[in-house]
Amino acid sequence: MSFSTIVTISLGAILTNNFIFSQFLGCCPFLGCSNKTDTATGMGLAVIFVMGLASAICWVVDHYVLIPLGLGFLETLAFILVIAALVQFVEMFLKKSVPSLYSALGIYLPLITTNCAVLGVVLLNVQNDYNFIESVVYGVTGGVGFLLAIVLFASVREKVEFSDYPECFDGFAICLVSAALVALAFMGFSGMSIPV
């Protein structure tokens, strides 16, 4: 494993294969918690923590429990259980340590349990056959990509709130149009393919 591999995995997870804008995973908390920048930052940090820890723990469970026992078919179920336990830990920690963030995140904090981006990162670690370090790097930088996406979009939504746009786009419609435009901008990181 080389430094260039780690950089490639990191930049891919943050920009090129961003879970929100390129793979369209984790859109529920993305759209629900992006009203304010500070709430979006809190959700992004919680997702970084859960993705990084889930990547590490699920790699260990997969390589030292499931595969040696021939239970590889239970990967998804085991990963869901690990993620659910981690989210409960994060929820208890935030409730005790940062009650304002806990109440601001509301129902979206338990939704990290069902956030397909968190499950997606651990399943992609298995699919890409990453080692432990690569899995943790992919998990953490995938969370950083989620944080980047949600904070950027929260700042866009704060600006759009005071903008003048057609009345037919009032409410959630302008939110979806804004998300589509930001996603289109992120597609530029994947480069252009010109058929010959």
Side-chain angles (χ1 to χ4, degrees):
M1 177 182 60
S2 65
F3 178 73
S4 63
T5 304
I6 297 298
V7 170
T8 302
I9 290 170
S10 300
L11 290 177
I14 295 171
L15 299 174
T16 309
N17 295 319
N18 186 287
F19 281 103
I20 296 293
F21 293 132
S22 296
Q23 298 184 28
F24 306 110
L25 295 173
C27 290
C28 179
F30 167 73
L31 292 172
C33 289
S34 59
N35 292 333
K36 296 183 178 180
T37 308
D38 43 342
T39 305
T41 303
M43 175 58 97
L45 292 173
V47 168
I48 289 172
F49 178 76
V50 171
M51 276 187 167
L53 208 53
S55 293
I57 294 172
C58 288
W59 188 91
V60 170
V61 167
D62 189 46
H63 284 79
Y64 292 108
V65 177
L66 298 177
I67 292 175
L69 295 176
L71 300 173
F73 60 93
L74 293 176
E75 282 176 341
T76 305
L77 180 64
F79 295 164
I80 289 172
L81 291 173
V82 167
I83 292 166
L86 285 173
V87 170
Q88 288 300 313
F89 171 71
V90 170
E91 189 173 1
M92 290 186 305
F93 174 78
L94 287 179
K95 188 174 185 178
K96 185 167 178 91
S97 302
V98 193
S100 59
L101 179 59
Y102 174 78
S103 61
L105 293 176
I107 189 65
Y108 295 101
L109 186 59
L111 283 178
I112 295 177
T113 304
T114 58
N115 186 345
C116 53
V118 178
L119 181 59
V121 77
V122 295
L123 290 174
L124 285 169
N125 286 336
V126 171
Q127 181 181 352
N128 294 333
D129 198 30
Y130 287 151
N131 63 32
F132 181 77
I133 301 294
E134 292 170 341
S135 295
V136 173
V137 167
Y138 188 61
V140 170
T141 56
V144 170
F146 183 90
L147 173 70
L148 175 69
I150 197 168
V151 169
L152 279 174
F153 188 61
S155 63
V156 167
R157 283 184 75 175
E158 287 177 352
K159 298 286 185 198
V160 166
E161 188 176 323
F162 299 108
S163 298
D164 187 29
Y165 51 85
E167 191 175 319
C168 62
F169 287 111
D170 200 24
F172 200 62
I174 193 67
C175 176
L176 292 177
V177 169
S178 301
L181 291 173
V182 176
L184 192 60
F186 259 75
M187 286 180 64
F189 291 117
S190 58
M192 292 178 56
S193 168
I194 301 172
V196 178

